[in-house]
Amino acid sequence: MEVDRRAFIASLGGNAAVSIMDHEAKAEALEHWMEERLDEAVEQQGAATPQKFPSVAELDAAIETRTYRRGTGNLFVNGGRNVKKLEPMPKNATLHDFFRLRFAPANHVLQSATRALKTGMTEEVVLACLLHDVVQSMIKVDHGWWGAQLFEPYIPEKSTFAIKYHAALRFYADSDAGYEYPDQYLRIFGHDYTPPEHISSTYRMVRNHKWYMEPRLVTVNDLYAFDQNAKVSLEPFTDIIGRHFKQPKEGLGFDNSPSAHMWRTIANPDAPL
């Protein structure tokens, strides 16, 4: 497959974002980008050659063909290649430091938050969009719950609620809110996938909650935040972070909060114990 180098770099957030990625991260990003282009090519073939989505059984049978588990966070997946040393986190590390050194390029969440900002969402929703997926650097499975736990000591209650429950709402369309079930999930989970009980019961609870629209708006801004040509940065959110993120003076990971250990895990993924 021929690679459009300019489009690929733009999809990662531009040259600045690419410059801080190690070789393995770049290789994995390129592989993912090529897979997406292949999927698009298949979709563009039209109704004469309809796209075939895998079944749950087929995805289950593929588990032993991979060298990693699908729920593993990005920092812990090497794709069969050697990893590189990560730049140490500075003393008294801030959220900005984690975005620069552990979450980067974070293009997807930056796009999501940018869309939320441009469409007039509340600052609590914008912040939730900015943070909703970054915990996937540590773990992917149930990432809404993990992400909410990571940020709960530091952000508004509505933002925590939105992060926590966006993961469950992703599996349920809401056309009135502008969210349709994405084809991407047919590929990831299988065309015959049924969410487990903890997901469906959570959806029912949140659907009737007074804050339903907070996590729902995260899913809306999540779905439409994959523009490979978008130019985004953290800078437009500096003031929102300043107003709503309670930065500990000791630095994230060292303030003895209920999630301090999670920040240390993200900061030091090479620690053996």
Side-chain angles (χ1 to χ4, degrees), residues 34-72:
M34 293 175 69
E35 288 176 355
E36 288 187 336
R37 301 293 78 71
L38 181 60
D39 288 339
E40 290 173 358
V42 172
E43 292 173 357
Q44 291 171 2
Q45 289 178 8
T49 310
Q51 186 172 3
K52 181 182 182 298
F53 296 109
S55 67
V56 171
E58 288 171 333
L59 291 171
D60 186 67
I63 289 175
E64 293 186 343
T65 68
R66 294 188 296 269
T67 59
Y68 62 93
R69 300 195 183 278
R70 297 173 85 196
T72 306

CSV table of all heavy atoms in Angstrom, one decimal, residues 34-72:
chain,number,residue,atom,x,y,z
A,34,MET,N,-2.6,2.3,8.2
A,34,MET,CA,-2.8,1.5,7.0
A,34,MET,C,-4.0,0.6,7.0
A,34,MET,O,-4.7,0.4,6.0
A,34,MET,CB,-1.5,0.7,6.7
A,34,MET,CG,-0.3,1.6,6.4
A,34,MET,SD,1.3,0.6,6.2
A,34,MET,CE,1.0,-0.3,4.7
A,35,GLU,N,-4.2,0.0,8.2
A,35,GLU,CA,-5.4,-0.8,8.4
A,35,GLU,C,-6.7,0.0,8.2
A,35,GLU,O,-7.6,-0.5,7.5
A,35,GLU,CB,-5.4,-1.4,9.8
A,35,GLU,CG,-4.4,-2.5,10.0
A,35,GLU,CD,-4.4,-3.0,11.5
A,35,GLU,OE1,-5.1,-2.4,12.3
A,35,GLU,OE2,-3.7,-3.9,11.8
A,36,GLU,N,-6.7,1.3,8.7
A,36,GLU,CA,-7.9,2.1,8.4
A,36,GLU,C,-8.1,2.4,7.0
A,36,GLU,O,-9.2,2.5,6.5
A,36,GLU,CB,-7.8,3.4,9.2
A,36,GLU,CG,-7.9,3.2,10.7
A,36,GLU,CD,-8.0,4.5,11.5
A,36,GLU,OE1,-7.4,5.5,10.9
A,36,GLU,OE2,-8.5,4.6,12.6
A,37,ARG,N,-7.0,2.7,6.3
A,37,ARG,CA,-7.1,3.0,4.8
A,37,ARG,C,-7.6,1.8,4.1
A,37,ARG,O,-8.4,1.9,3.1
A,37,ARG,CB,-5.7,3.4,4.3
A,37,ARG,CG,-5.1,4.6,4.9
A,37,ARG,CD,-5.8,5.9,4.7
A,37,ARG,NE,-7.0,6.1,5.6
A,37,ARG,CZ,-6.9,6.3,6.9
A,37,ARG,NH1,-5.7,6.4,7.5
A,37,ARG,NH2,-8.0,6.5,7.6
A,38,LEU,N,-7.2,0.6,4.5
A,38,LEU,CA,-7.6,-0.6,3.8
A,38,LEU,C,-9.1,-0.8,4.1
A,38,LEU,O,-9.9,-1.1,3.2
A,38,LEU,CB,-6.9,-1.8,4.4
A,38,LEU,CG,-7.2,-3.2,3.8
A,38,LEU,CD1,-7.0,-3.2,2.3
A,38,LEU,CD2,-6.4,-4.3,4.5
A,39,ASP,N,-9.6,-0.5,5.3
A,39,ASP,CA,-11.0,-0.6,5.6
A,39,ASP,C,-11.8,0.3,4.8
A,39,ASP,O,-12.9,0.0,4.3
A,39,ASP,CB,-11.2,-0.3,7.1
A,39,ASP,CG,-10.7,-1.4,8.0
A,39,ASP,OD1,-10.6,-2.6,7.5
A,39,ASP,OD2,-10.5,-1.2,9.2
A,40,GLU,N,-11.3,1.5,4.6
A,40,GLU,CA,-12.0,2.5,3.8
A,40,GLU,C,-12.1,2.1,2.3
A,40,GLU,O,-13.1,2.3,1.7
A,40,GLU,CB,-11.3,3.9,3.9
A,40,GLU,CG,-11.4,4.6,5.2
A,40,GLU,CD,-10.5,5.8,5.4
A,40,GLU,OE1,-9.8,6.1,4.4
A,40,GLU,OE2,-10.6,6.5,6.4
A,41,ALA,N,-11.0,1.5,1.9
A,41,ALA,CA,-11.0,1.0,0.5
A,41,ALA,C,-12.0,-0.1,0.2
A,41,ALA,O,-12.7,-0.1,-0.8
A,41,ALA,CB,-9.6,0.5,0.1
A,42,VAL,N,-12.1,-0.9,1.2
A,42,VAL,CA,-13.1,-2.0,1.1
A,42,VAL,C,-14.6,-1.4,1.1
A,42,VAL,O,-15.4,-1.8,0.3
A,42,VAL,CB,-13.0,-3.0,2.3
A,42,VAL,CG1,-14.2,-4.0,2.3
A,42,VAL,CG2,-11.7,-3.8,2.2
A,43,GLU,N,-14.8,-0.4,2.0
A,43,GLU,CA,-16.1,0.2,2.1
A,43,GLU,C,-16.5,0.9,0.8
A,43,GLU,O,-17.6,0.9,0.4
A,43,GLU,CB,-16.1,1.2,3.3
A,43,GLU,CG,-16.0,0.5,4.6
A,43,GLU,CD,-15.9,1.5,5.7
A,43,GLU,OE1,-15.8,2.8,5.4
A,43,GLU,OE2,-15.9,1.1,6.9
A,44,GLN,N,-15.5,1.5,0.1
A,44,GLN,CA,-15.7,2.3,-1.1
A,44,GLN,C,-16.0,1.4,-2.3
A,44,GLN,O,-16.3,1.9,-3.4
A,44,GLN,CB,-14.5,3.2,-1.4
A,44,GLN,CG,-14.4,4.3,-0.3
A,44,GLN,CD,-13.1,5.1,-0.5
A,44,GLN,OE1,-12.3,4.8,-1.4
A,44,GLN,NE2,-12.9,6.1,0.4
A,45,GLN,N,-15.8,0.1,-2.1
A,45,GLN,CA,-16.1,-0.8,-3.3
A,45,GLN,C,-17.6,-0.9,-3.5
A,45,GLN,O,-18.0,-1.4,-4.6
A,45,GLN,CB,-15.6,-2.2,-3.0
A,45,GLN,CG,-14.0,-2.3,-3.0
A,45,GLN,CD,-13.5,-3.6,-2.6
A,45,GLN,OE1,-14.3,-4.6,-2.5
A,45,GLN,NE2,-12.2,-3.7,-2.5
A,46,GLY,N,-18.4,-0.4,-2.6
A,46,GLY,CA,-19.8,-0.3,-2.8
A,46,GLY,C,-20.6,-1.6,-2.5
A,46,GLY,O,-20.1,-2.6,-2.0
A,47,ALA,N,-21.9,-1.5,-2.8
A,47,ALA,CA,-22.8,-2.6,-2.5
A,47,ALA,C,-22.5,-3.9,-3.2
A,47,ALA,O,-22.9,-5.0,-2.8
A,47,ALA,CB,-24.3,-2.2,-2.8
A,48,ALA,N,-21.8,-3.8,-4.4
A,48,ALA,CA,-21.5,-5.0,-5.1
A,48,ALA,C,-20.6,-6.0,-4.3
A,48,ALA,O,-20.6,-7.2,-4.5
A,48,ALA,CB,-20.8,-4.7,-6.4
A,49,THR,N,-19.7,-5.4,-3.5
A,49,THR,CA,-18.9,-6.1,-2.6
A,49,THR,C,-19.0,-5.6,-1.2
A,49,THR,O,-18.2,-4.9,-0.6
A,49,THR,CB,-17.4,-6.0,-3.0
A,49,THR,OG1,-17.3,-6.2,-4.4
A,49,THR,CG2,-16.5,-7.0,-2.3
A,50,PRO,N,-20.1,-6.1,-0.5
A,50,PRO,CA,-20.4,-5.6,0.9
A,50,PRO,C,-19.3,-5.9,1.8
A,50,PRO,O,-18.7,-7.0,1.7
A,50,PRO,CB,-21.7,-6.2,1.2
A,50,PRO,CG,-21.8,-7.5,0.3
A,50,PRO,CD,-21.1,-7.1,-0.9
A,51,GLN,N,-19.1,-5.0,2.8
A,51,GLN,CA,-18.0,-5.3,3.8
A,51,GLN,C,-18.5,-6.4,4.7
A,51,GLN,O,-19.6,-6.5,5.1
A,51,GLN,CB,-17.8,-4.0,4.6
A,51,GLN,CG,-16.6,-4.2,5.6
A,51,GLN,CD,-16.3,-2.8,6.2
A,51,GLN,OE1,-17.0,-1.8,6.0
A,51,GLN,NE2,-15.3,-2.8,7.0
A,52,LYS,N,-17.5,-7.3,5.0
A,52,LYS,CA,-17.8,-8.4,5.9
A,52,LYS,C,-17.2,-8.1,7.3
A,52,LYS,O,-16.0,-8.0,7.4
A,52,LYS,CB,-17.2,-9.7,5.3
A,52,LYS,CG,-17.5,-10.9,6.2
A,52,LYS,CD,-16.9,-12.2,5.6
A,52,LYS,CE,-17.2,-13.4,6.5
A,52,LYS,NZ,-16.7,-13.3,7.8
A,53,PHE,N,-18.1,-8.1,8.3
A,53,PHE,CA,-17.6,-7.9,9.6
A,53,PHE,C,-17.4,-9.2,10.3
A,53,PHE,O,-18.2,-10.1,10.0
A,53,PHE,CB,-18.6,-7.0,10.4
A,53,PHE,CG,-18.7,-5.6,9.9
A,53,PHE,CD1,-19.9,-5.2,9.2
A,53,PHE,CD2,-17.7,-4.7,10.0
A,53,PHE,CE1,-20.0,-3.9,8.7
A,53,PHE,CE2,-17.8,-3.4,9.5
A,53,PHE,CZ,-19.0,-3.0,8.8
A,54,PRO,N,-16.4,-9.4,11.2
A,54,PRO,CA,-16.2,-10.7,11.8
A,54,PRO,C,-17.3,-10.9,12.8
A,54,PRO,O,-18.0,-10.0,13.3
A,54,PRO,CB,-14.9,-10.5,12.5
A,54,PRO,CG,-14.8,-9.0,12.8
A,54,PRO,CD,-15.5,-8.3,11.6
A,55,SER,N,-17.4,-12.2,13.2
A,55,SER,CA,-18.3,-12.6,14.3
A,55,SER,C,-17.6,-12.6,15.6
A,55,SER,O,-16.3,-12.6,15.6
A,55,SER,CB,-18.9,-14.0,14.0
A,55,SER,OG,-17.9,-15.0,14.1
A,56,VAL,N,-18.3,-12.7,16.7
A,56,VAL,CA,-17.7,-12.8,18.0
A,56,VAL,C,-16.8,-14.1,18.1
A,56,VAL,O,-15.7,-14.1,18.6
A,56,VAL,CB,-18.8,-12.8,19.1
A,56,VAL,CG1,-18.2,-13.2,20.4
A,56,VAL,CG2,-19.5,-11.5,19.2
A,57,ALA,N,-17.3,-15.2,17.5
A,57,ALA,CA,-16.6,-16.4,17.5
A,57,ALA,C,-15.3,-16.3,16.7
A,57,ALA,O,-14.2,-16.8,17.1
A,57,ALA,CB,-17.4,-17.6,16.9
A,58,GLU,N,-15.3,-15.6,15.6
A,58,GLU,CA,-14.1,-15.4,14.8
A,58,GLU,C,-13.1,-14.6,15.5
A,58,GLU,O,-11.9,-14.9,15.5
A,58,GLU,CB,-14.5,-14.8,13.5
A,58,GLU,CG,-15.2,-15.7,12.5
A,58,GLU,CD,-15.7,-15.0,11.3
A,58,GLU,OE1,-16.0,-13.8,11.4
A,58,GLU,OE2,-15.9,-15.7,10.2
A,59,LEU,N,-13.5,-13.6,16.2
A,59,LEU,CA,-12.6,-12.7,17.0
A,59,LEU,C,-12.0,-13.5,18.2
A,59,LEU,O,-10.8,-13.4,18.5
A,59,LEU,CB,-13.3,-11.5,17.5
A,59,LEU,CG,-13.7,-10.5,16.4
A,59,LEU,CD1,-14.6,-9.4,17.0
A,59,LEU,CD2,-12.4,-9.8,15.8
A,60,ASP,N,-12.8,-14.4,18.8
A,60,ASP,CA,-12.4,-15.2,19.9
A,60,ASP,C,-11.3,-16.2,19.4
A,60,ASP,O,-10.3,-16.4,20.1
A,60,ASP,CB,-13.5,-15.9,20.5
A,60,ASP,CG,-13.1,-16.7,21.8
A,60,ASP,OD1,-12.8,-16.1,22.8
A,60,ASP,OD2,-13.2,-18.0,21.7
A,61,ALA,N,-11.5,-16.8,18.2
A,61,ALA,CA,-10.6,-17.7,17.6
A,61,ALA,C,-9.2,-17.1,17.3
A,61,ALA,O,-8.2,-17.8,17.2
A,61,ALA,CB,-11.2,-18.4,16.4
A,62,ALA,N,-9.2,-15.7,17.1
A,62,ALA,CA,-8.0,-15.0,16.7
A,62,ALA,C,-7.1,-14.7,17.9
A,62,ALA,O,-6.0,-14.2,17.7
A,62,ALA,CB,-8.4,-13.8,15.9
A,63,ILE,N,-7.6,-14.9,19.1
A,63,ILE,CA,-6.8,-14.5,20.3
A,63,ILE,C,-5.4,-15.1,20.3
A,63,ILE,O,-4.4,-14.4,20.5
A,63,ILE,CB,-7.6,-14.9,21.6
A,63,ILE,CG1,-8.8,-14.1,21.8
A,63,ILE,CG2,-6.6,-14.8,22.8
A,63,ILE,CD1,-9.7,-14.5,23.0
A,64,GLU,N,-5.3,-16.3,20.0
A,64,GLU,CA,-4.0,-17.0,20.0
A,64,GLU,C,-3.1,-16.7,18.8
A,64,GLU,O,-2.0,-17.2,18.7
A,64,GLU,CB,-4.1,-18.5,20.2
A,64,GLU,CG,-4.7,-18.8,21.6
A,64,GLU,CD,-4.8,-20.3,21.9
A,64,GLU,OE1,-4.6,-21.1,20.9
A,64,GLU,OE2,-5.0,-20.7,23.0
A,65,THR,N,-3.6,-15.9,17.9
A,65,THR,CA,-2.7,-15.5,16.8
A,65,THR,C,-2.0,-14.2,17.0
A,65,THR,O,-1.2,-13.8,16.2
A,65,THR,CB,-3.6,-15.3,15.5
A,65,THR,OG1,-4.5,-14.1,15.7
A,65,THR,CG2,-4.5,-16.5,15.3
A,66,ARG,N,-2.2,-13.5,18.2
A,66,ARG,CA,-1.6,-12.3,18.5
A,66,ARG,C,-0.5,-12.4,19.6
A,66,ARG,O,-0.6,-13.4,20.4
A,66,ARG,CB,-2.6,-11.2,19.0
A,66,ARG,CG,-3.6,-10.8,17.9
A,66,ARG,CD,-4.5,-9.7,18.3
A,66,ARG,NE,-5.3,-10.1,19.4
A,66,ARG,CZ,-6.5,-10.6,19.3
A,66,ARG,NH1,-7.1,-10.7,18.1
A,66,ARG,NH2,-7.3,-10.9,20.4
A,67,THR,N,0.4,-11.5,19.7
A,67,THR,CA,1.4,-11.5,20.7
A,67,THR,C,1.1,-10.6,21.9
A,67,THR,O,1.9,-10.3,22.7
A,67,THR,CB,2.8,-11.1,20.1
A,67,THR,OG1,2.6,-9.7,19.6
A,67,THR,CG2,3.2,-12.0,19.0
A,68,TYR,N,-0.1,-10.1,21.9
A,68,TYR,CA,-0.6,-9.2,23.0
A,68,TYR,C,-2.1,-9.4,23.2
A,68,TYR,O,-2.7,-10.1,22.4
A,68,TYR,CB,-0.4,-7.7,22.5
A,68,TYR,CG,-1.2,-7.4,21.3
A,68,TYR,CD1,-2.4,-6.8,21.4
A,68,TYR,CD2,-0.7,-7.6,20.0
A,68,TYR,CE1,-3.2,-6.5,20.3
A,68,TYR,CE2,-1.4,-7.3,18.9
A,68,TYR,CZ,-2.7,-6.7,19.1
A,68,TYR,OH,-3.4,-6.4,17.9
A,69,ARG,N,-2.6,-8.9,24.3
A,69,ARG,CA,-4.0,-9.0,24.6
A,69,ARG,C,-4.6,-7.7,24.2
A,69,ARG,O,-4.1,-6.6,24.5
A,69,ARG,CB,-4.2,-9.4,26.1
A,69,ARG,CG,-3.6,-10.7,26.4
A,69,ARG,CD,-4.1,-11.3,27.7
A,69,ARG,NE,-3.4,-12.5,28.1
A,69,ARG,CZ,-3.7,-13.7,27.6
A,69,ARG,NH1,-4.7,-13.8,26.7
A,69,ARG,NH2,-3.1,-14.8,27.9
A,70,ARG,N,-5.8,-7.7,23.7
A,70,ARG,CA,-6.4,-6.5,23.1
A,70,ARG,C,-6.7,-5.5,24.2
A,70,ARG,O,-6.9,-4.3,23.8
A,70,ARG,CB,-7.7,-6.9,22.4
A,70,ARG,CG,-7.5,-7.8,21.2
A,70,ARG,CD,-8.8,-8.3,20.7
A,70,ARG,NE,-9.4,-7.4,19.7
A,70,ARG,CZ,-10.7,-7.4,19.3
A,70,ARG,NH1,-11.5,-8.3,19.8
A,70,ARG,NH2,-11.1,-6.5,18.5
A,71,GLY,N,-6.9,-5.8,25.4
A,71,GLY,CA,-7.2,-4.9,26.5
A,71,GLY,C,-6.0,-4.2,27.0
A,71,GLY,O,-6.1,-3.3,27.9
A,72,THR,N,-4.8,-4.5,26.5
A,72,THR,CA,-3.5,-4.0,27.1
A,72,THR,C,-3.4,-2.5,26.6
A,72,THR,O,-3.6,-2.2,25.5
A,72,THR,CB,-2.3,-4.8,26.6
A,72,THR,OG1,-2.5,-6.1,26.9
A,72,THR,CG2,-1.1,-4.3,27.3
